[in-house]
């Protein structure tokens, strides 16, 4: 283990984790019988296909373009190319009518989720100047029900986006599916650390690690607190001092912060960076009770600074051994929504808001102001003492999101959209946000609890229910949302 690891520098402690680009397969096509009948049509449709390919590339994807198909033989060759490419999402662009026999082999052989799109050239035809050949460039939606029917009969999930080539609403919907494919890729290839043990008695938090790999993909890495202990012990004075300086730069320090506790949190923070680097982790859930100030108790109590920095860099950390919430935080972060560890704190019936937050790690990138470090002589419900993060999520649209679990073990995505509003907040070293869900906070709380969410989740920036529904769809998981319309 090197004392000169890249994670020791203050700048690297703020660098976002880089992840592989999402690989999108594209195949465009139309019915070959048209080409000799209507000269020029194929060239026009190929130009549309080129535009779509360029648009995908501009969205930050690696595009595997399998070309333009005109018959089932072309489709079989395109399917083989996409199968070898190991795509995260395969998009079939219906430029005009084609038969389902040209699309089904691609969906069957590509071994990736399939999105069918039909984007006509403009918003509407110029009917007075439209002949049959010109019209055929507009009828990509014609085979859509045919393909949907065949997909259903073949047991293949069907997804589609209809619009026109310059339809930003359609491209936003397409972008939602690409973002969902990115989430699926991160989860399939993720390495998730689980360090310590379950908080005693939290039966809702208990999660079967095998089910994570079975349903979401990825690898579960079981860690010991000793893995952190040896790395924190190896942190030099220079690295610890640099981390203290970084904390002073990023946070407002409350007078309650003890310098010795801050230095300890800085050592643990550098040690956490090394742990994440050495085990190549994408997320971490942790908890250790400890006893009478021994080293493991001190490590557990010193995690909040480092865990918050890592969460802001894209490696979410959740306390209380909350594996499903650390995974939800990873989903939210991949979507660009931040995602901070939270639970219910109180209901305010005067202001019609739900107050939610948590002690421990916070996603610093979504704080409404410069976050505060507060010194605590005791952590409520936990052993130890030290520095804790206090902040409010950015005011405006937010989504509460978490992973519930059914009696048969199936994970379920649960979401509810609201708005963070200003007002009085707790000043006890916790994250706290006031969320207005648009109806009675008591009714919202009852409906939220009934989803099977568990008592932790993540608070994301933006209204993300549609994005999360798409993620659940690509993962083959149920999706539930709480709105005023579905509350009894």
């Amino acid at each position: 283990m090197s004392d000169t690891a890249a994670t020791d520098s203050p700048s690297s402690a703020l660098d976002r984790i880089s992840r592989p680009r999402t690989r999108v397969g594209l195949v465009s096509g139309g019915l070959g019988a048209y080409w000799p009948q209507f000269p020029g049509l194929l060239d026009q449709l190929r130009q549309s296909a080129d535009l779509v390919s360029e648009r995908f590339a501009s969205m930050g994807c690696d595009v595997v373009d399998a070309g333009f198909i005109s018959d089932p033989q072309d489709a079989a060759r395109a399917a083989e190319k996409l199968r070898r490419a190991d795509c995260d999402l395969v998009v079939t662009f219906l430029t005009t009518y084609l038969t389902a026999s040209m699309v089904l082999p691609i969906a069957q052989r590509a071994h990736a989720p399939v999105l069918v799109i039909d984007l006509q050239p403009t918003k509407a035809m110029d009917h007075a100047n439209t002949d049959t050949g010109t019209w055929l460039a507009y009828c990509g939606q014609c085979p859509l029900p045919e393909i949907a029917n065949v997909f259903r009969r073949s047991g293949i999930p069907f997804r589609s986006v209809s619009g026109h080539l310059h339809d930003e609403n359609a491209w936003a919907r397409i972008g939602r599916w690409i973002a969902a494919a990115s989430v699926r890729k991160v989860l399939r290839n993720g390495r998730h650390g689980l360090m310590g043990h379950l908080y005693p008695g939290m039966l809702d938090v208990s999660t079967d690690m095998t089910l994570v790999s079975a349903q979401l993909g990825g690898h579960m890495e079981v860690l010991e607190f000793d893995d952190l202990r040896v790395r924190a012990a190896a942190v030099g004075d220079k690295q610890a001092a640099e981390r203290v300086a970084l904390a002073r730069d990023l946070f407002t320090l409350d007078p309650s912060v003890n310098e010795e506790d801050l230095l300890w949190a800085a050592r643990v923070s550098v040690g956490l960076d090394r742990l994440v680097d050495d085990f190549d982790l994408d997320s971490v859930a942790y908890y250790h009770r400890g006893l009478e100030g021994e080293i493991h108790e001190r490590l557990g109590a010193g995690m909040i600074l480092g865990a918050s920095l890592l969460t802001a860099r894209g490696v979410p950390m959740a306390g209380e051994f909350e594996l499903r919430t650390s995974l939800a935080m990873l989903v939210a972060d991949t979507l660009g929504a931040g995602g901070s560890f939270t639970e219910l704190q109180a209901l305010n019936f005067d202001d019609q808001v739900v107050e939610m937050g948590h002690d421990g790690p916070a996603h610093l990138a979504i704080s409404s102001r410069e976050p505060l470090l507060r010194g605590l002589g005791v952590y409520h419900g936990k052993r130890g003492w030290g520095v804790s993060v206090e902040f409010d999520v950015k005011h405006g649209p937010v989504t509460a999101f978490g992973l519930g679990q059914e009696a048969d073990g199936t994970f379920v995505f649960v979401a509810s959209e609201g708005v963070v509003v200003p007002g009085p907040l707790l000043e006890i070293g916790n994250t706290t946000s006031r969320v207005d869900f648009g109806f009675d906070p008591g009714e919202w709380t009852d409906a939220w609890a009934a989803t099977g969410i568990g008592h932790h989740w993540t608070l994301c920036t933006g209204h993300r229910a549609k994005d999360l529904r798409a993620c659940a769809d690509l993962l083959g998981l149920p999706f539930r949302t709480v709105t005023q319309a579905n509350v009894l």
Side-chain angles (χ1 to χ4, degrees):
M1 182 169 52
S2 170
D3 286 336
T4 59
T7 51
D8 288 341
S9 70
S11 60
S12 65
L14 295 175
D15 292 342
R16 288 282 301 175
I17 300 298
S18 62
R19 296 192 176 100
R21 287 156 61 98
T22 302
R23 186 176 299 120
V24 174
L26 174 64
V27 57
S28 307
L31 188 65
Y34 296 149
W35 315 150
Q37 294 178 325
F38 304 99
L41 175 60
L42 178 58
D43 288 341
Q44 179 186 356
L45 300 182
R46 287 185 184 277
Q47 290 174 9
S48 295
D50 289 342
L51 188 153
V52 168
S53 182
E54 291 168 4
R55 184 72 183 250
F56 279 134
S58 73
M59 297 168 76
C61 305
D62 285 337
V63 181
V64 180
D65 195 334
F68 198 99
I69 62 173
S70 300
D71 54 40
Q73 292 90 335
D74 285 348
R77 287 188 288 270
E80 179 59 19
K81 179 176 181 177
L82 296 174
R83 183 191 66 79
R84 292 195 305 268
D86 189 26
C87 298
D88 302 303
L89 180 72
V90 168
V91 179
T92 301
F93 176 26
L94 312 180
T95 65
T96 184
Y97 177 79
L98 48 64
T99 62
S101 65
M102 296 168 60
V103 178
L104 182 61
I106 295 167
Q108 288 174 321
R109 302 177 197 177
H111 300 300
V114 176
L115 172 67
V116 180
I117 66 173
D118 60 276
L119 304 174
Q120 64 188 39
T122 64
K123 289 183 178 180
M125 291 185 292
D126 178 5
H127 294 76
N129 296 296
T130 299
D131 58 17
T132 302
T134 306
W135 157 65
L136 286 173
Y138 281 82
C139 72
Q141 73 288 145
C142 179
L144 198 65
E146 174 182 339
I147 292 166
N149 174 280
V150 171
F151 273 26
R152 180 181 291 271
R153 291 163 65 181
S154 303
I156 297 170
F158 174 77
R159 311 165 188 91
S160 68
V161 172
S162 300
H164 61 86
L165 285 172
H166 305 287
D167 180 355
E168 291 307 315
N169 177 58
W171 280 109
R173 288 151 57 206
I174 292 168
R176 185 172 295 132
W177 288 111
I178 292 176
S182 300
V183 168
R184 179 175 177 269
K185 181 185 187 77
V186 166
L187 292 174
R188 287 178 75 201
N189 297 285
R191 291 175 54 82
H192 311 297
L194 198 57
M195 183 168 65
H197 60 81
L198 187 71
Y199 188 108
M202 287 187 180
L203 302 181
D204 64 313
V205 168
S206 178
T207 301
D208 185 332
M209 292 185 296
T210 303
L211 293 180
V212 173
S213 297
Q215 296 184 46
L216 305 178
H219 169 77
M220 294 301 310
E221 186 71 26
V222 177
L223 304 168
E224 303 283 355
F225 255 73
D226 286 325
D227 291 321
L228 175 59
R229 175 182 59 81
V230 296
R231 288 166 174 80
V235 174
D237 292 343
K238 180 177 182 294
Q239 288 79 22
E242 288 175 342
R243 193 55 55 93
V244 168
L246 178 64
R248 291 185 181 280
D249 184 55
L250 294 177
F251 294 86
T252 297
L253 265 63
D254 186 79
S256 60
V257 172
N258 177 284
E259 290 295 327
E260 184 178 340
D261 290 343
L262 179 58
L263 181 60
W264 173 247
R267 291 186 184 277
V268 175
S269 176
V270 178
L272 278 172
D273 284 1
R274 293 178 176 180
L275 180 79
V276 165
D277 185 59
D278 290 346
F279 286 96
D280 192 23
L281 300 176
D282 295 287
S283 70
V284 183
Y286 70 91
Y287 175 75
H288 186 83
R289 183 177 59 189
L291 187 66
E292 296 181 352
E294 51 83 31
I295 185 62
H296 299 96
E297 179 184 313
R298 294 292 292 129
L299 286 167
M303 299 272 283
I304 295 172
L305 172 63
S308 297
L309 291 173
L310 279 167
T311 298
R313 291 177 57 205
V315 182
M317 294 191 66
E320 297 180 8
F321 216 58
E322 182 47 288
L323 173 58
R324 294 200 308 278
T325 300
S326 62
L327 294 169
M329 292 165 69
L330 181 60
V331 169
D333 189 84
T334 304
L335 290 172
S340 207
F341 190 40
T342 195
E343 66 184 0
L344 290 169
Q345 291 178 327
L347 305 180
N348 187 321
F349 291 95
D350 287 333
D351 298 338
Q352 292 290 289
V353 297
V354 178
E355 297 183 33
M356 59 178 66
H358 208 283
D359 61 341
H363 198 307
L364 304 180
I366 63 171
S367 178
S368 64
R369 61 187 188 281
E370 185 170 270
L372 180 137
L373 278 182
R374 187 180 295 277
L376 298 178
V378 62
Y379 293 146
H380 72 274
K382 304 178 185 68
R383 297 194 61 86
W385 65 93
V387 296
S388 190
V389 173
E390 189 174 292
F391 89 151
D392 179 18
V393 169
K394 291 176 181 177
H395 297 178
V398 292
T399 304
F401 162 60
L403 268 66
Q405 192 165 20
E406 305 291 76
D408 65 359
T410 300
F411 295 134
V412 55
F413 275 30
V414 184
S416 185
E417 296 178 341
V419 178
V420 171
V421 297
L425 302 171
L426 290 171
E427 297 180 356
I428 59 172
N430 284 21
T431 64
T432 303
S433 295
R434 295 158 45 90
V435 187
D436 181 354
F437 288 101
F439 59 103
D440 180 83
E443 292 184 6
W444 181 87
T445 301
D446 290 338
W448 184 248
T451 63
I453 184 66
H455 85 276
H456 298 121
W457 52 90
T458 184
L459 193 59
C460 319
T461 56
H463 282 166
R464 306 286 180 166
K466 290 181 178 179
D467 302 320
L468 294 165
R469 184 187 294 275
C471 293
D473 183 280
L474 292 195
L475 292 165
L477 299 179
F479 176 82
R480 295 191 185 121
T481 186
V482 172
T483 67
Q484 187 172 18
N486 62 19
V487 170
L488 295 176

